[in-house]
């Protein structure tokens, strides 16, 4: 009877452990699925938001470039070099023109640039308000972040940033175009660059990415807890096995002593 009861208890315990194991396994698989699905879905959504923003900005900058490029002359790049050139009528006219177009299109920066005699890239005419803190005077060196885009434009390529650029002055989208001489030579004489503010888009995408990271962290915690429960279950299983073996040995030993007692009793009875 004792052995049967032990077997019954052992089977019940094994069944309970299997149920716990299956439950933990379901939780782990579920967490991994939800986390992975959320990450993929969020990435697709973020990519869609970014692609739409870049497409919209590209369309806007293309229109601005088309409207301005024909108005630029070779002299706008050869005769403007230093702060002193801001006093010329041509600079004043061109700066006012770029400022008006920038305001009409809600863009952050709109300027011309070229390579100076030292081979360094410099600003020429900045379309910002003249009193702005970040206004770039003629001859100011181009920031490191923008150099690759302007260099590609000077080589004859229309350049669009395919992602949000993290600069010291904020998160932006930029488009740079080569400016060609309108005297029939088609020579590239400089670059026309437009930068739009991408801070709202960057903040939105960052917040969504943080949400995904939180989901991932919760998933990791759930998996760790599940692994801990599995560990406890496995340890309990080993302890129960050891306990069962000890109980079986204890039951077997009294049975052997009983058999020896019976043998001695029978021997004594026979001699009698």
């Amino acid at each position: 009877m004792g052995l049967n009861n032990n077997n019954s208890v052992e089977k019940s315990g094994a069944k309970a452990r299997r149920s716990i194991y299956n439950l933990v396994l379901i939780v782990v698989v579920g967490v991994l699925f939800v986390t992975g699905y959320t990450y993929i879905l969020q990435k697709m959504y973020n990519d869609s938001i970014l692609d739409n923003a870049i497409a919209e900005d590209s369309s806007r900058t293309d229109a601005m470039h088309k409207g301005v490029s024909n108005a630029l002359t070779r002299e706008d790049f050869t005769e403007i070099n230093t702060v002193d050139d801001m006093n010329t009528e041509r600079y004043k006219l061109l700066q006012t023109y770029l400022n008006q177009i920038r305001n009409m299109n809600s863009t952050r920066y709109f300027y011309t640039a070229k390579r100076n005699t030292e081979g360094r890239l410099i600003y020429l005419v900045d379309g910002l308000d003249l009193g702005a803190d970040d206004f770039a005077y003629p001859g100011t060196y181009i920031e490191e972040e923008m150099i690759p885009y302007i260099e590609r434009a000077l080589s004859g390529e229309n350049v669009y940033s395919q992602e949000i650029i993290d600069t010291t002055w904020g998160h932006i989208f930029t488009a740079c175009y080569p400016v060609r001489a309108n005297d029939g030579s088609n020579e590239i004489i400089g670059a026309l660059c437009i930068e739009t503010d991408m801070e709202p888009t960057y903040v939105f995408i960052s917040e969504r990415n943080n949400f995904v990271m939180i989901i991932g962290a919760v998933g990791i915690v759930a998996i760790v807890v599940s692994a801990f429960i599995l560990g406890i279950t496995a340890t309990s299983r080993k302890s129960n096995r050891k306990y069962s073996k000890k109980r079986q040995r204890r039951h077997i030993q009294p049975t052997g002593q009983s058999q020896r007692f019976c043998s001695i009793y029978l021997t004594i009875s026979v001699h009698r």
Side-chain angles (χ1 to χ4, degrees):
M1 288 291 291
L3 288 174
N4 290 334
N5 288 336
N6 288 339
N7 289 335
S8 177
V9 171
E10 211 172 299
K11 288 180 180 178
S12 298
K15 189 174 181 180
R17 286 190 295 271
R18 281 196 299 271
S19 298
I20 294 174
Y21 177 82
N22 291 336
L23 178 62
V24 170
L25 185 62
I26 290 172
V27 170
V28 171
V29 172
V31 168
L32 288 175
F33 174 78
V34 171
T35 303
Y37 180 76
T38 303
Y39 173 78
I40 293 172
L41 193 65
Q42 192 59 53
K43 188 176 186 308
M44 292 174 61
Y45 181 67
N46 287 348
D47 289 344
S48 176
I49 292 294
L50 183 58
D51 289 343
N52 290 336
I54 289 176
E56 182 180 345
D57 286 341
S58 298
S59 178
R60 183 188 302 122
T61 57
D62 281 346
M64 294 173 66
H65 167 250
K66 185 177 181 180
V68 173
S69 59
N70 291 333
L72 297 173
T73 66
R74 182 183 291 274
E75 288 71 25
D76 295 331
F77 291 87
T78 58
E79 302 301 322
I80 298 175
N81 295 284
T82 66
V83 176
D84 293 337
D85 298 320
M86 295 177 65
N87 296 319
T88 64
E89 289 301 320
R90 181 58 183 172
Y91 177 91
K92 293 177 182 178
L93 178 65
L94 190 55
Q95 198 281 326
T96 300
Y97 182 48
L98 293 184
N99 182 265
Q100 290 174 345
I101 294 178
R102 182 186 64 81
N103 287 324
M104 288 171 56
N105 289 274
S106 301
T107 53
R108 186 167 180 178
Y109 299 113
F110 190 24
Y111 57 90
T112 58
K114 73 171 184 178
R115 198 180 301 279
N116 65 9
T117 54
E118 299 173 351
R120 298 190 64 175
L121 297 175
I122 59 172
Y123 286 96
L124 296 181
V125 181
D126 188 354
L128 270 182
D129 296 336
L130 290 173
D133 292 337
D134 49 351
F135 179 84
Y137 294 91
T140 303
Y141 294 131
I142 297 291
E143 294 82 0
E144 292 292 329
E145 294 94 331
M146 298 305 301
I147 288 177
Y149 300 96
I150 298 177
E151 285 184 339
R152 288 170 60 186
L154 291 176
S155 68
E157 180 182 354
N158 290 349
V159 186
Y160 308 91
S161 59
Q162 297 303 309
E163 57 186 13
I164 298 174
I165 305 175
D166 185 7
T167 68
T168 54
W169 57 95
H171 297 91
I172 64 167
F173 162 85
T174 187
C176 290
Y177 304 87
V179 177
R180 300 179 184 275
N182 54 11
D183 55 9
S185 65
N186 207 36
E187 178 187 355
I188 296 175
I189 53 179
L192 179 69
C193 297
I194 308 164
E195 300 176 23
T196 60
D197 189 8
M198 292 286 279
E199 196 66 34
T201 304
Y202 174 81
V203 170
F204 178 79
I205 291 177
S206 296
E207 289 176 350
R208 304 305 298 180
N209 287 339
N210 290 336
F211 172 74
V212 173
M213 290 178 65
I214 292 173
I215 294 295
V218 172
I220 291 173
V221 171
I223 291 173
V224 170
V225 171
S226 300
F228 179 72
I229 293 174
L230 281 177
I232 292 176
T233 304
T235 302
S236 176
R237 185 182 303 175
K238 289 181 181 179
S239 299
N240 288 337
R241 283 178 180 173
K242 289 180 180 179
Y243 179 73
S244 297
K245 287 180 181 179
K246 287 181 179 179
R247 297 245 348 201
Q248 287 176 2
R249 284 198 296 270
R250 287 175 183 172
H251 281 292
I252 291 172
Q253 286 174 0
T255 303
Q257 289 176 357
S258 298
Q259 288 176 350
R260 287 197 299 274
F261 177 78
C262 290
S263 299
I264 294 170
Y265 177 78
L266 289 174
T267 303
I268 293 171
S269 297
V270 169
H271 281 294
R272 285 181 181 177

